[in-house]
Amino acid sequence: MNVPFVDLKSQYRSIKEEMDNAILNILENTAFIKGKAVEDFEKDFATAIGMKHCIGVGNGTDALIIALKTLNIGPGDEVIVPANSFIATSEAVTAAGARVVFVDNHPETYNIDVTKIEQSVTKRTKAIIAVHLYGQPADMDAVLAIAEKHNLYVIEDSAQGHLAQYYSENGGWKMTGIFGHIATFSFYPGKNLGAYGDAGAIVTNDDQVAKKARMYANHGRISKYDHEFEGVNSRMDGIQGAVLGVKLNYLPEWTEKRRAAAAYYSAHLQGIGDIVVPFFDEQKVKPVWHLYVIRTNKRDALLEHLINKGIAVGIHYPIALPNLKAYQYLGHKPADFPVASAYQNQILSLPIFPEITREQQDYVIENIKTFFS
Ligand SMILES: *Cc1c(COP(=O)(O)O)cnc(C)c1O
């Protein structure tokens, strides 16, 4: 048996007719950049997560850069980011002209360790980027409390967190994206809500922030040649808007399927060898399982075993951000980030996607069992 890491083909087949029509409609109308499909998607996505504004942009990395620029963050400023994330999170800080400050991750949730944020706050700190890694919301109450105390902006990088929920002490269950001043999403094809190419979005409830972000993403203009400031070109394509519009209707159902698959893995993997299954606090978070990440000291051998059995696995991420060559200039040692540095050799992402079958999951579980026996 072969188990892919994600199966975008079977997803496409399940919605082929509807999807083909939506894309053909864009071709007929030649609405290639922005246009009605993008506007409709922006409205529908904002509604789906309970926000006022959504601005479609070119990709999730641009969304972060535009968010930082919109908040006037740049040279001389510092931005706190988790040590365990995809490089886009920290790359955006540098692209905006600010300085990256890494904070280690929590030993159980893999998200930013909120107990270690304050020691990294300086006079130059302007913002914290909270990443909802693997689809599990970061501890937003704690992040917001620190931000309020030190007068910092909070940006949520929800590239992996579409429809994830967090229980806030002063608002109950809410979707990620609503907690910070501005939030960003990626619709890279492999994300929980994936386009058929690159796409991303910025969401916010602040009218002024929304207006500025929309202008920034479109050459600093509102109307065609009326440029109030210099921005960039980062707009969502009409085809991507149409694709995302179709898929958004299925996202709640697909999310439930991911949750069922994650629960099935955890029930059956618990107790095998030294495996640590993902931890989450049911009272506080409802993850959306962009990734299902286990931990074991035999990671490399297990990875090889599973690959040999036709099971596609991944490592997210094999080198913690501060340990990358790209950040050598910061002069960190792995010991500065003990959790992220240890985990980079222990974490393993198993196949998870809405269409994964019980047979595929059983095959993964059986092969993990034989490895440890
Ligand atoms: C995918 C991802 C991004 C970047 O999104 P792109 O659309 O690929 O530019 C940013 N942050 C995180 C955590 C991601 O997983």
Side-chain angles (χ1 to χ4, degrees):
M1 190 189 278
N2 273 311
V3 187
F5 194 65
V6 289
D7 190 351
L8 296 179
K9 275 186 200 163
S10 77
Q11 186 178 81
Y12 169 59
R13 281 191 214 106
S14 74
I15 51 173
K16 183 176 177 351
E17 210 182 301
E18 198 183 342
M19 188 59 89
D20 291 357
N21 286 335
I23 293 173
L24 280 174
N25 186 42
I26 299 294
L27 302 185
E28 299 281 355
N29 292 305
T30 64
F32 297 126
I33 292 170
K34 291 171 149 306
K36 183 162 186 314
V38 172
E39 282 167 28
D40 287 349
F41 170 71
E42 288 176 339
K43 281 198 199 89
D44 292 346
F45 190 66
T47 305
I49 58 173
M51 301 286 291
K52 218 163 145 189
H53 304 284
C54 169
I55 298 121
V57 297
N59 56 67
T61 309
D62 279 1
L64 281 166
I65 298 169
I66 294 164
L68 290 158
K69 288 288 197 179
T70 299
L71 298 174
N72 281 324
I73 293 166
D77 299 334
E78 291 177 0
V79 178
I80 290 175
V81 302
N84 185 31
S85 184
F86 179 57
I87 193 171
T89 311
S90 47
E91 208 176 30
V93 174
T94 312
R99 189 174 171 88
V100 176
V101 176
F102 290 113
V103 168
D104 207 358
N105 63 276
H106 186 277
E108 289 184 295
T109 66
Y110 302 100
N111 274 319
I112 194 163
D113 187 340
V114 293
T115 66
K116 293 181 182 166
I117 293 178
E118 267 194 297
Q119 67 204 42
S120 299
V121 173
T122 72
K123 281 199 175 64
R124 290 164 178 264
T125 310
K126 283 281 155 58
I128 303 168
I129 302 183
V131 182
H132 306 305
L133 201 70
Y134 309 154
Q136 169 160 190
D139 187 354
M140 293 312 295
D141 280 341
V143 170
L144 291 172
I146 295 164
E148 191 170 347
K149 184 170 161 196
H150 297 278
N151 199 19
L152 309 175
Y153 287 117
V154 172
I155 299 169
E156 294 176 71
D157 178 349
S158 201
Q160 304 185 3
H162 318 74
L163 305 191
Q165 290 179 57
Y166 177 82
Y167 187 89
S168 169
E169 296 306 331
N170 42 24
W173 288 105
K174 295 257 170 61
M175 303 264 181
T176 59
I178 216 164
F179 299 99
H181 296 89
I182 196 163
T184 64
F185 286 84
S186 165
F187 305 119
Y188 176 80
K191 297 284 158 78
N192 288 26
L193 179 58
Y196 287 174
D198 273 317
I202 290 165
V203 300
T204 180
N205 277 332
D206 185 316
D207 297 346
Q208 284 311 109
V209 167
K211 186 176 169 206
K212 191 173 169 198
R214 190 174 286 285
M215 289 172 72
Y216 194 88
N218 192 19
H219 301 294
R221 71 187 170 192
I222 298 178
S223 57
K224 196 147 191 187
Y225 295 112
D226 180 13
H227 307 272
E228 284 188 25
F229 53 87
E230 289 180 313
V232 293
N233 173 6
S234 185
R235 301 170 299 213
M236 188 184 280
D237 288 348
I239 288 179
Q240 305 315 336
V243 167
L244 293 167
V246 169
K247 285 195 176 190
L248 182 58
N249 296 318
Y250 296 93
L251 190 60
E253 175 189 328
W254 289 340
T255 302
E256 286 312 317
K257 287 184 171 165
R258 283 178 186 271
R259 287 183 174 138
Y264 191 74
Y265 269 144
S266 289
H268 291 85
L269 294 174
Q270 185 95 49
I272 301 179
D274 67 342
I275 285 182
V276 181
V277 298
F279 165 85
F280 67 100
D281 180 352
E282 283 177 40
Q283 309 294 315
K284 288 296 283 181
V285 295
K286 292 179 184 163
V288 293
W289 305 101
H290 174 59
L291 295 167
Y292 183 91
V293 178
I294 60 169
R295 227 160 57 232
T296 164
N297 288 318
K298 302 202 172 78
R299 196 271 312 274
D300 289 342
L302 176 61
L303 180 143
E304 202 187 311
H305 174 78
L306 295 176
I307 298 275
N308 287 337
K309 298 290 180 187
I311 298 166
V313 290
I315 303 172
H316 301 87
Y317 295 88
I319 306 176
L321 295 173
N323 301 334
L324 285 169
K325 194 171 171 212
Y327 294 105
Q328 246 173 24
Y329 70 92
L330 291 173
H332 292 307
K333 301 178 297 301
D336 297 340
F337 304 91
V339 180
S341 298
Y343 283 10
Q344 67 184 23
N345 303 315
Q346 299 170 5
I347 50 180
L348 184 67
S349 309
L350 302 181
I352 193 163
F353 47 94
E355 301 77 15
I356 195 167
T357 63
R358 268 291 146 83
E359 291 68 34
Q360 288 175 317
Q361 284 199 278
D362 285 337
Y363 182 71
V364 175
I365 293 160
E366 279 317 308
N367 278 292
I368 292 175
K369 278 188 184 151
T370 38
F371 173 80
F372 279 103
S373 64

